[in-house]
Amino acid sequence: MSDDLTGTAPWRSFLTETEQRLSGSSDVEDPRLEARWLMEEVVGVDGADFMAALGQLATTRGVARLDSMVERRLGGEPIQYVLGHWAFRRLDLMVDRRVLIPRPETEVVVDYALIELDRLHPEGGGVVADLGTGSGAIGLSIATERPGARAVLTDVSEDALAVARANLAGLGMAGSHVEVFGGRWFDALPTEMSGQIDVIVSNPPYVATTEDLPASVLDWEPEGALRAGPDGRNDLDQLVAGAELWLRPGGALVLEMAPTQTTVVAELARARDFEVAVHEDLAGRERLIVARCKG
Ligand SMILES: C[S@@+](CC[C@H](N)C(=O)[O-])C[C@H]1O[C@@H](n2cnc3c(N)ncnc32)[C@H](O)[C@@H]1O
C-alpha cells in the first residue's frame, strides 16, 4: 500500500474523529485517552513529539490502519490487544490474544518476589522460576531489574511461549540470563534445578469454572490462562504441593490469587511447614502469599 498523504487533513482532525467514534462504545471508559493511544501508535511518536506531529498531514496508510484499529476496539477487543503492546513495570511487552494481558496487581507480585530474591542474594545473583509466564511479564521484569539473577520462564501453552520468547528477544543483553521451557508447572523445569531455586513465582489461573467474567475478558483472553476448576484452586494447590522439592532451604514461593483464596491457600502452605505471609495489592485486597521454606 502506498504511503500517500490524504490531502489536506492533518492528524489532529483524525484525533477528534477517533475520540468521537470511541465515545459510541460502552466498553471504552476514556475515549480521549484511548484515541490518543491509538493515534500515537499509528503516527509512531508520543509525548511532545506527538503534539507536534498532529499538525502534519495524515497518510493514507496511517488512516487505514487507524480505522482498522478503531473497528477492532468498537468490536469489544481490549485496547491492549489492539495496540499490540502494554506497559508492565519497566517493560513494554508485546501482547496479543495468545496471552493474558498483564495486570497492575501482578506488578506488586514482582515486588514481593524481588524482596525474597534480595533477602537471599543481597549482592545480586540467585535463581528465579516464573511458572506460567504468559507474556513473560513477571520473569522478564525480574531479569531486567536484577540483571545478575538467572530467570527461568515456563508455560504449558506453546502460543504463550512464542510471545514470551518474542518479548525476551526485545530485551537484548538484559535477557542473556533468561531461559524458557515448555511444560506443565514443575514438569517444565530441568531436573538439576531441584532444590536449587531461590524464588518460585507464579500468577496461575485462579478463576472458578462457575465465576462470571466480563465479556472483555471471557471473549478475548485465553481460557487456559484464567480458569482453574470448580473453586479456582486446581493450579494453586499443585504449586503449593510441589514447590518444596524445587526450592532451596530458605527459598520462597510467591503466588498471586483471588482475595477469596488467600486464607485457604495460606493454610495449605502452613500445613506443608512453610512460613506464610499474606499481602495486599494496590487496591488493598489480599492478593498474594509469600511462603518461605524453613531451613
Ligand atoms: C493468569 S496467566 C498469567 C500470565 C503471566 N504470568 C502474567 O502474570 O501476566 C496464567 C498462565 O499460566 C499458564 N498455565 C496454565 N496452566 C498451566 C500449567 N498446567 N502449567 C504451566 N503453565 C500453565 C497459562 O498458559 C498462562 O500463560
Side-chain angles (χ1 to χ4, degrees), residues 112 115-117 119-120 198 247-254 269 272-277 279 289-295:
Y112 283 99
I115 289 169
E116 294 305 301
L117 186 62
R119 171 178 66 82
L120 294 161
D198 295 291
L247 288 169
R248 61 170 260 195
L253 172 66
V254 180
R272 291 188 166 270
D273 216 23
F274 284 93
E275 278 173 16
V276 184
H279 297 284
I289 68 160
V290 175
R292 288 182 187 164
C293 245
K294 290 181 182 160

Side-chain angles (χ1 to χ4, degrees), residues 100 102 106 132-134 138 155-157 183-185 203-205 224-225:
L100 189 94
T106 308
T133 194
I138 297 174
D155 208 290
V156 75
S157 155
R184 297 181 63 78
W185 301 132
N203 170 22

Side-chain angles (χ1 to χ4, degrees), residues 186-201:
F186 300 101
D187 295 348
L189 296 172
T191 47
E192 67 270 17
M193 291 185 81
S194 173
Q196 305 294 316
I197 304 175
D198 295 291
V199 180
I200 295 172
V201 55

